[in-house]
Amino acid sequence: MPPPAQTARTPGAGSPPTWRDRWRAFRTRTVANPAFQRWAAGFPLTRRIARRNTRALFDLCAGFTYSQTLFACVRLDLFRILVGGPLALDALCGRLSLAPERALRLLKAAASLELVSALPDGRFALADLGAALIGNPSVAAMIEHHALLYDDLRDPVALLRGEAGPTRLAGYWPYADATQRESLGPESVGAYSGLMAASQALIAQDILDAYPLRRHRRLMDVGGGEGAFLAAAAARTPNLALTLFDLPAVAARAERRFRDDGIGHRAEARGGSFLDDALPLGADAISLVRVVHDHDDAAVQTLLRSAHAALPEGGTLILAEPMAGTPGAEPIGDAYFGLYLLAMGSGRCRTLDELSTLLVEAGFTGIREVPTRRPLLTRLIVSHRFDAQSCK
C-alpha cells in the first residue's frame, strides 16, 4: 500500500493545519485570483489598497531602474550642478555632456523620483532628496560603490546557491577573507578605508549625540579604519585620549590622519588583527562602529570576548550597528544588508536580541539600547564589564 500523500498545507509531519494556516491559504488563493484582483481594483472599499499594492509590486519589479537613475545623477554630478539654482535644459545639456533628448529623459526620471523638480517655466531645480545628498557626500560615495554590488547581483540565484564564483565585493573588502588579512598592504586598503571613513562620518555625530563620552578617560575604536569616528569624538571631547586598533596598513593611514587633524598628541594608532591578536589595554571604553555586521558569529564572539578582556572592571563597550528588525526599516536589514553581506562573503545584520545574546555570552552585563536620531542608519547598544566577584 502506498504511503498517504502529504498536503502542501501541512505545517509539519503529522501536524494538521491550524485555522490560521487554512485562513492564510484561503486568502492567498483569493488574492492570487485575477478575477478578484480586477474586482478589488474597482470596488470603492478596496480600490485604494489594490492600487497601493499594484504600485508596490511594480516598484519591486522596476526598482533597479530607480537606483540606476540615482547612480547616473551622482556620476554626472547633477545635484551639485543645480545647487546654485534652477537651470534650463540647454544649460544643463552642456554641463552634463548629454544630448538634449537624453538629458531631458534623465531629468524627467529624476523628477519622478523627487530628486529634482520640474518648474512651470521649463527649468529644473534641486528637490529635497537631491539637496540631502549634497549635504551627505558619504551617501554619494556609497551610491558610486554600489556599481560593484549591481555586478555581483546580476545572477542572484547563482549567488544564493554559492555558484557565482569570486565576487567583486569580496575583492573590495579583502579583510573578509581570513587568509588575506595579515598580508594586506597600503595599496589593498586605500579604497575600502576611504569608503569606510565616509560611511562612519555619516553616523558619528548621531552616536556622539546619543552617548556623550565625557565620562571616559580613553576610548579605543576597534576596526576604526582611518579614524573618522575618533576624529569626531576628539572634536566633541577635548580631554579624551584616543586609541585606534585596525590592521597595520589601515592603522598607518589613521596615524597620518591624526597628525593632519592636529590630534596626534592624544591619538595613537595600533596595528593588528582583532580576530587574531589581543586588544591593547588601557582604555575604559571600547567602540565598535559598524564592525560587527561584517563578520560571522564565530568571529563576532572572538571580537567581543577580546573587548571584554581588554576593558577594566566597570569598562564600557559601545556597539553601533545597523540592525535587522528595525521598525520602519526592515528591508534595510534583511534585503539590502542580507544580499550585500552575502556578496561580500562575510557577516549578517542581526537583531537587537541577537546582539544582546552575543554580548551576554562574551561576559557583558548592563546591556541597554540608547536611542539614536536615525535608527535606520545605526542603533546603539551600551554594555559593561562587571566581573562576577565584584557583583557579590
Side-chain angles (χ1 to χ4, degrees), residues 14-365:
S15 301
T18 66
W19 70 266
R20 291 183 184 273
D21 297 326
R22 291 192 293 270
W23 162 248
R24 288 192 184 99
F26 167 76
R27 189 177 187 277
T28 298
R29 289 194 305 271
T30 302
V31 173
N33 188 314
F36 173 79
Q37 294 172 11
R38 289 193 301 274
W39 173 83
F43 185 61
L45 295 181
T46 57
R47 182 186 302 146
R48 182 175 297 179
I49 297 173
R51 291 179 180 178
R52 185 174 66 240
N53 289 346
T54 300
R55 167 65 190 270
L57 184 59
F58 187 85
D59 283 347
L60 288 173
C61 294
F64 75 98
T65 63
Y66 306 159
S67 61
Q68 291 296 71
T69 298
L70 176 61
F71 181 84
C73 291
V74 170
R75 177 65 61 87
L76 294 171
D77 211 17
L78 173 62
F79 306 132
R80 199 167 298 280
I81 290 171
L82 289 173
V83 75
L87 291 173
L89 177 63
D90 56 351
L92 284 167
C93 290
R95 303 282 295 274
L96 298 172
S97 298
L98 292 176
E101 65 275 10
R102 301 298 175 89
L104 184 59
R105 193 176 295 255
L106 173 64
L107 290 163
K108 285 183 174 180
S112 73
L113 299 175
E114 300 182 358
L115 297 167
V116 303
S117 297
L119 303 182
D121 62 5
R123 294 181 301 163
F124 289 88
L126 198 58
D128 287 350
L129 290 181
L133 284 168
I134 295 294
N136 292 286
S138 57
V139 178
M142 284 299 299
I143 292 167
E144 290 264 16
H145 166 71
H146 281 158
L148 304 181
L149 180 59
Y150 301 150
D151 196 30
D152 288 340
L153 290 179
R154 284 178 299 171
D155 187 346
V157 174
L159 180 66
L160 288 164
R161 289 177 174 169
E163 300 169 352
T167 63
R168 296 189 68 188
L169 280 179
Y172 187 86
W173 303 100
Y175 65 76
D177 184 346
T179 63
Q180 297 187 47
R181 279 197 296 268
E182 294 300 322
S183 60
L184 293 179
E187 71 287 348
S188 304
V189 303
Y192 86 73
S193 292
L195 181 65
M196 188 174 169
S199 66
Q200 284 194 343
L202 178 65
I203 56 148
Q205 301 303 329
D206 287 5
I207 296 169
L208 295 170
D209 285 342
Y211 187 82
L213 295 166
R214 293 183 298 272
R215 72 196 73 180
H216 296 293
R217 175 182 51 81
R218 177 176 289 274
L219 171 69
M220 177 165 62
D221 192 29
V222 177
E226 296 183 0
F229 178 67
L230 285 187
R236 287 284 196 100
T237 319
N239 296 322
L240 183 67
L242 309 162
T243 298
L244 181 138
F245 186 83
D246 210 318
L247 295 171
V250 181
R253 296 174 66 90
E255 191 171 26
R256 289 194 294 272
R257 174 176 184 154
F258 294 155
R259 288 198 301 266
D260 293 343
D261 289 351
I263 58 173
H265 62 288
R266 63 187 181 108
E268 62 174 0
R270 305 280 293 274
S273 167
F274 57 66
L275 297 179
D276 303 313
D277 305 318
L279 296 179
L281 303 178
D284 63 329
I286 291 177
S287 55
L288 300 173
V289 179
R290 297 172 71 94
V291 170
V292 169
H293 71 291
D294 283 353
H295 299 277
D296 296 330
D297 284 356
V300 173
Q301 289 171 334
T302 297
L303 170 58
L304 294 180
R305 290 189 183 111
S306 294
H308 187 272
L311 283 169
E313 170 73 10
T316 300
L317 180 69
I318 304 160
L319 192 156
E321 283 280 294
M323 295 186 199
T326 298
E330 291 84 357
I332 295 176
D334 291 324
Y336 173 74
F337 279 110
L339 290 178
Y340 185 102
L341 295 172
L342 179 64
M344 177 176 155
S346 174
R348 65 186 181 90
C349 213
R350 298 171 177 85
T351 65
L352 175 64
D353 287 344
E354 289 174 321
L355 289 168
S356 298
T357 297
L358 289 168
L359 287 165
V360 169
E361 291 173 351
F364 287 97
T365 59

Side-chain angles (χ1 to χ4, degrees), residues 387-392:
D387 297 333
Q389 187 173 0
S390 68
C391 296
K392 293 181 179 178

